[in-house]
Amino acid sequence: MRARESLNSLILQERLRRIGPVGLAAVAVGLLAVGVLCVGVLPQWQNLRELRAAEADASVQVERVRRGELKIAIKPEQQALDSLRQQLPGQPQASALIERLYHLASAEHISLARGEYALGIDPRTQLARYQIVLPVRGSYPQIRGFLKGLLKQLPTLVLEDLELQRKRIGDSELNARLRMTLYLSRS
């Protein structure tokens, strides 16, 4: 048995000598390539197969939605936002709502100076927002009554900032600057 092992060892050594260092390097590079294939390429190939299967499944689902066989589940947040949009006044009603603002000021005997108005779209909710900066002059109870009426009659109006200023301590009238946003649906 030992003689046989010794003979096999000699044959192996002879073959390695014939191959030489270049041949050994080539065998090592070949083994390294097989290792890279097993470790790096095969898992990626498997991932690719799984992605293609998921893509095929998604295509089937999209086609079922198009045919009306499958309904898309809507997130609760999206349902709440859709419900809010339905309750909001439409963007075309903005001028009527602003007119209501002036009637409330008139009812409280408040003088309104020329305001600044800017219409924009909220990037997160895609709601129309009408930003209003309004200089107001009146007594504190008048301004408070005006704000109370605004928030009661225009529930989609948000008071963002209120600045009150009195020219002299004894004055009963205040100068106020209101910054508000009126939210509207875009329909």
Side-chain angles (χ1 to χ4, degrees):
M1 188 90 151
R2 276 188 167 235
R4 185 179 246 179
E5 286 177 11
S6 179
L7 182 63
N8 285 340
S9 176
L10 287 173
I11 292 172
L12 181 62
Q13 287 176 2
E14 182 61 31
R15 286 187 180 164
L16 288 175
R17 252 188 245 133
R18 277 189 200 159
I19 293 173
V22 174
L24 287 175
V27 169
V29 167
L31 290 174
L32 182 64
V34 169
V36 167
L37 178 71
C38 290
V39 172
V41 175
L42 288 178
Q44 294 301 320
W45 180 68
Q46 182 63 28
N47 286 344
L48 180 63
R49 286 183 50 201
E50 290 171 4
L51 285 172
R52 285 185 178 155
E55 179 185 22
D57 185 46
S59 296
V60 169
Q61 298 295 333
V62 167
E63 194 56 40
R64 288 184 64 201
V65 168
R66 283 187 186 142
R67 289 191 306 255
E69 298 172 4
L70 185 66
K71 298 289 182 197
I72 298 174
I74 298 175
K75 294 180 182 176
E77 300 86 23
Q78 185 63 38
Q79 286 178 333
L81 188 57
D82 290 343
S83 174
L84 175 66
R85 280 190 186 109
Q86 291 173 355
Q87 294 174 12
L88 289 176
Q91 194 173 337
Q93 297 172 311
S95 58
L97 295 171
I98 299 299
E99 189 66 33
R100 191 180 307 172
L101 183 142
Y102 280 95
H103 285 301
L104 283 168
S106 174
E108 288 293 331
H109 306 291
I110 290 179
S111 67
L112 297 178
R114 181 177 296 244
E116 299 172 27
Y117 304 91
L119 183 62
I121 305 298
D122 188 304
R124 230 183 47 211
T125 62
Q126 294 301 308
L127 295 174
R129 62 180 181 198
Y130 207 42
Q131 294 178 315
I132 305 165
V133 177
L134 198 60
V136 175
R137 184 166 174 79
S139 68
Y140 178 77
Q142 289 172 322
I143 293 172
R144 185 176 172 152
F146 173 63
L147 290 173
K148 186 177 180 181
L150 273 179
L151 298 175
K152 186 176 182 181
Q153 289 192 27
L154 301 172
T156 63
L157 183 78
V158 176
L159 178 63
E160 293 181 354
D161 189 36
L162 169 63
E163 293 177 18
L164 296 173
Q165 184 179 35
R166 186 177 302 192
K167 290 193 180 205
R168 289 177 295 202
I169 291 176
D171 287 346
S172 63
E173 285 205 344
L174 302 169
N175 290 323
R177 183 178 171 272
L178 309 174
R179 190 168 51 101
M180 305 171 281
T181 300
L182 179 63
Y183 284 93
L184 306 164
S185 70
R186 293 178 64 192
S187 55

